[in-house]
Amino acid sequence: MTRELIYNAFLHLTPNHHSHGYWRTPEGQVQYGYTKLEPYVDVVRTLERGRFDALFVADVSGVYDLEFGDGTATVRAGSQFPEPDPVTIVSALGLVTEHLGIAVTSNIVQSHPFSFARQLSSLDHFTDGRVAWNIVTSYLTNGFQNFGYDRIVSHDERYRWAQEYADVTYKLWQKSWEDGAVLHDAATNRFFAPERIHRIDHNGERYKVAGPHLVEPSPQRVPVLFQAGNSGAGREFAVRNAEVTFLPSNTPEAAARDIAVLDELAVSQGRDPKSLKKIVQLSTVIGSTEQEARRKQQYLRDNADYAALRAFLSGGSGIDLSDIDPDTTLDELRDRVELGDHVRSMLRAAADADYGDGSPVTFGDFLVSKALLPGRFAGTPEQIADEVQRWADAGVDGFNVVPITTLGWWDEWVDHVVPVLQRRGLAQREYYPGTLREKLFRRGDTIDPTHRAHAVTLG
């Protein structure tokens, strides 16, 4: 490894992240503080104490299950509803931390690229270069309806839209201000050099943006770019645009195959594969003994709200999953013509996972052990470190750590798991200096020269 593995803390500003129903337990009631700033301040201070690389704030701009049943299941359960805007919290969390990166999710529907690029440049300044953008195309029909559309745009068209959106931001960040445009020279009465600041005059299919960018170049110029794309179009988008991409892999063996596909695709497009970090989700139940961890895992599953989980999956996939027989195998289910790309890739990853006995994986198995995202692996800190090593040996660059509860859980990871990872050389003991990009890639703070952001031109 060229550096220790990357660890991001996965978080939603919601009552329930992915532990649907756990809020009803005494342990889950910590989530009642989701509308207060102080609990998130406590989280980022804990993460920085544990030398996490970044806080990854996920987001959606719609309700999951409005197309199915009476449209109230996820609302009733508070499952990723309501959802405060994550951009609003970045400055506050940046102020109380020194090294922790803050990755914010924003989709192509909810904000115009000019105003969003301005927000991210501002936040990159205010955090001394620690901001990242998780680029998403949005997969909720209700999310599109909230911004004036009758229905969701088709899958591949969303990626074509996202490319133009990203290209507009690249032009603003990379091409509008030349190096040397910032003077602050009292002797010549030139605060800036106007001849080095340019309009972008973008005139595309969806956007017409004159420019110039209203914020001078920030420490990173381009925020670190995160993205998760599991379909063919999503992978193509990842190798053109992402610096950190999330794999759908449920096993190290699947991850090795997914990494090989991305690396080959990157090379074919002239991209340095090493400039694209590949990470997976890691969700654990931590116990002082294996037996304790298993008991805690079963407690989590026993308190799950499976009606809310089905509604959540239905809304995210665009497919009504409420009437599927639990004994239907995933191999049968994923081949159904009506399933969309998003749910097909999710089911493929689950079906390819090793459940231990070689038997076909059913939809019921999937709901209990795979669809309920938190707590998929239960063990002691030492066993968790063994699991991390398995993924590292398969070639992954790091993890999105998924908590049981977004608030309150992180001390358990930092106090008990991080020291074991550090002793084994699997987690950093101290922060590398510089911007988030420097910390992640251990080189300069500008985006890799093979990245698409360098190739865009004005106009």
Side-chain angles (χ1 to χ4, degrees):
M1 290 182 292
T2 57
R3 59 148 287 167
E4 301 87 353
L5 296 165
I6 295 168
Y7 294 89
N8 302 318
F10 199 40
L11 184 146
H12 264 276
L13 308 182
T14 61
N16 287 298
H17 185 202
H18 287 87
S19 299
H20 308 280
Y22 195 67
W23 63 271
R24 300 169 296 184
T25 68
E27 298 83 359
Q29 290 177 14
V30 65
Q31 286 301 122
Y32 293 179
Y34 76 98
T35 60
K36 305 298 182 183
L37 181 60
E38 290 81 1
Y40 298 107
V41 169
D42 290 341
V43 165
V44 295
R45 284 174 169 161
T46 299
L47 297 177
E48 195 155 83
R49 180 166 62 86
R51 301 299 188 265
F52 270 77
D53 289 279
L55 172 72
F56 180 87
V57 189
D59 185 43
V60 292
S61 57
V63 180
Y64 271 85
D65 68 330
L66 287 182
E67 294 176 85
F68 308 106
D70 59 6
T72 61
T74 54
V75 173
R76 169 191 58 76
S79 292
Q80 293 190 24
F81 176 89
E83 186 100 21
D85 187 339
V87 173
T88 62
I89 202 172
V90 174
S91 288
L93 301 185
L95 184 63
V96 298
T97 53
E98 182 181 357
H99 296 283
L100 186 73
I102 304 173
V104 63
T105 298
S106 183
N107 69 58
I108 57 175
V109 181
Q110 70 187 75
S111 182
H112 191 281
F114 179 83
S115 58
F116 181 70
R118 184 185 183 195
Q119 285 179 314
L120 267 285
S121 292
S122 302
L123 292 171
D124 201 51
H125 277 295
F126 298 152
T127 60
D128 294 323
R130 292 186 284 132
V131 166
W133 172 26
N134 178 38
I135 311 171
V136 293
T137 61
S138 186
Y139 49 82
L140 295 180
T141 294
N142 181 238
F144 275 79
Q145 291 171 336
N146 287 336
F147 293 93
Y149 295 84
D150 292 332
R151 61 186 61 86
I152 193 168
V153 174
S154 67
H155 177 272
D156 287 4
E157 177 58 29
R158 295 201 302 273
Y159 275 108
R160 288 189 288 272
W161 179 351
Q163 190 59 70
E164 184 183 353
Y165 190 107
D167 286 347
V168 173
T169 65
Y170 299 157
K171 291 178 183 183
L172 292 165
W173 288 327
Q174 286 282 91
K175 303 297 183 178
S176 185
W177 290 63
E178 296 180 31
D179 291 337
V182 180
L183 300 176
H184 300 179
D185 187 352
T188 62
N189 193 25
R190 282 160 57 87
F191 205 83
F192 298 111
E195 69 276 10
R196 292 180 178 270
I197 302 171
H198 310 286
R199 293 163 55 109
I200 66 167
D201 290 321
H202 175 87
N203 192 359
E205 181 180 352
R206 290 186 177 270
Y207 300 107
K208 186 175 182 179
V209 181
H213 192 35
L214 291 184
V215 185
E216 65 191 74
S218 67
Q220 298 183 116
R221 268 194 180 261
V222 180
V224 174
L225 301 170
F226 288 70
Q227 190 263 347
N230 304 326
S231 65
R235 284 173 167 167
E236 290 273 354
F237 187 86
V239 299
R240 287 195 303 268
N241 298 278
E243 295 178 274
V244 183
T245 190
F246 310 116
L247 305 178
S249 324
N250 279 329
T251 67
E253 295 75 20
R257 294 192 296 270
D258 289 336
I259 290 168
V261 170
L262 285 170
D263 284 351
E264 182 178 358
L265 190 57
V267 170
S268 72
Q269 296 195 12
R271 177 88 184 271
D272 179 2
K274 293 181 180 179
S275 70
L276 178 61
K277 300 288 188 183
K278 298 91 173 173
I279 68 176
V280 295
Q281 290 175 335
L282 177 65
S283 181
T284 67
V285 174
I286 307 164
S288 57
T289 65
E290 184 176 355
Q291 292 73 22
E292 180 189 15
R294 295 291 182 189
R295 285 195 301 270
K296 291 168 70 175
Q297 184 184 51
Q298 190 59 50
Y299 181 72
L300 174 67
R301 292 174 177 175
D302 289 343
N303 285 283
D305 185 338
Y306 286 101
L309 178 57
R310 278 178 178 254
F312 171 80
L313 293 173
S314 294
S317 65
I319 307 298
D320 187 354
L321 302 173
S322 60
D323 62 349
I324 293 176
D325 185 340
D327 292 330
T328 304
T329 69
L330 294 194
D331 284 328
E332 295 171 334
L333 186 58
R334 68 177 176 171
D335 292 333
R336 290 188 178 183
V337 175
E338 70 267 21
L339 292 180
D341 288 327
H342 178 74
V343 72
R344 248 200 303 266
S345 64
M346 178 176 61
L347 296 176
R348 175 189 64 80
D352 288 345
D354 180 7
Y355 280 70
D357 59 3
S359 60
V361 180
T362 68
F363 183 62
D365 296 329
F366 171 69
L367 282 176
V368 173
S369 60
K370 293 299 175 185
L372 190 65
L373 180 57
R376 290 181 178 175
F377 183 87
T380 66
E382 290 74 17
Q383 290 172 322
I384 292 169
D386 291 341
E387 182 71 0
V388 165
Q389 185 68 64
R390 289 180 63 224
W391 289 94
D393 291 343
V396 304
D397 296 302
F399 303 92
N400 255 6
V401 180
V402 181
I404 304 303
T405 57
T406 58
L407 303 175
W409 179 85
W410 298 101
D411 287 285
E412 187 176 7
W413 175 274
V414 168
D415 291 339
H416 299 290
V417 179
V418 168
V420 178
L421 296 173
Q422 289 174 332
R423 285 197 296 270
R424 297 196 189 184
L426 296 171
Q428 62 186 355
R429 291 179 178 271
E430 298 297 337
Y431 281 109
Y432 193 80
T435 64
L436 177 59
R437 183 171 285 112
E438 289 178 282
K439 295 177 191 300
L440 294 180
F441 292 92
R442 304 292 165 90
R443 55 169 177 75
D445 53 23
T446 57
I447 199 164
D448 185 84
T450 65
H451 190 277
R452 181 184 178 94
H454 291 283
V456 295
T457 58
L458 297 177

